[in-house]
Amino acid sequence: MENNIKYEQAKKRVKQIKGFYIHAGVFILVNVFLVCLKFMKHGQIDFNVWGTSLWGVGLAAHGASVFLPDFFLGRNWEERKIRELMDKQKNLKP
């Protein structure tokens, strides 16, 4: 039973990391494409600083949520919240 729980937790963790890597890859590909497109059109390397910066902040937040989960909500917050909600439901039942 415990092995199944550990497996599911590891599977969830891998999915989170994979999601971040996909997000980072799309960020890089799209921004390289936009720089190349502007270079071909205008003959100079230029990019949208605001769009890239805002997306970069979002990417950084995504990375922090994946690699620094204790940074915002603390260690095992999700598990504690689940237990809290389950205890509330248990106390509500007649």
Side-chain angles (χ1 to χ4, degrees), residues 70-85:
D70 300 342
F71 181 72
F72 182 63
L73 295 172
R75 180 175 287 290
N76 298 324
W77 175 86
E78 195 173 302
E79 198 60 40
R80 286 193 319 265
K81 195 64 176 174
I82 290 169
R83 284 190 201 121
E84 176 187 326
L85 293 173

Side-chain angles (χ1 to χ4, degrees), residues 4-69:
N4 288 341
I5 293 171
K6 287 183 180 184
Y7 175 79
E8 290 301 321
Q9 289 173 340
K11 187 176 175 180
K12 180 179 175 183
R13 180 78 177 128
V14 167
K15 194 172 186 177
Q16 290 173 337
I17 293 169
K18 180 182 175 184
F20 172 74
Y21 288 153
I22 290 170
H23 187 180
V26 170
F27 174 82
I28 291 167
L29 290 174
V30 167
N31 283 292
V32 166
F33 174 75
L34 292 175
V35 168
C36 291
L37 191 65
K38 283 202 172 190
F39 180 74
M40 290 186 331
K41 188 173 182 179
H42 299 291
Q44 61 184 5
I45 295 179
D46 187 21
F47 62 95
N48 182 351
V49 175
W50 289 107
T52 302
S53 298
L54 291 174
W55 191 359
V57 168
L59 180 62
H62 188 178
S65 73
V66 172
F67 297 108
L68 302 172

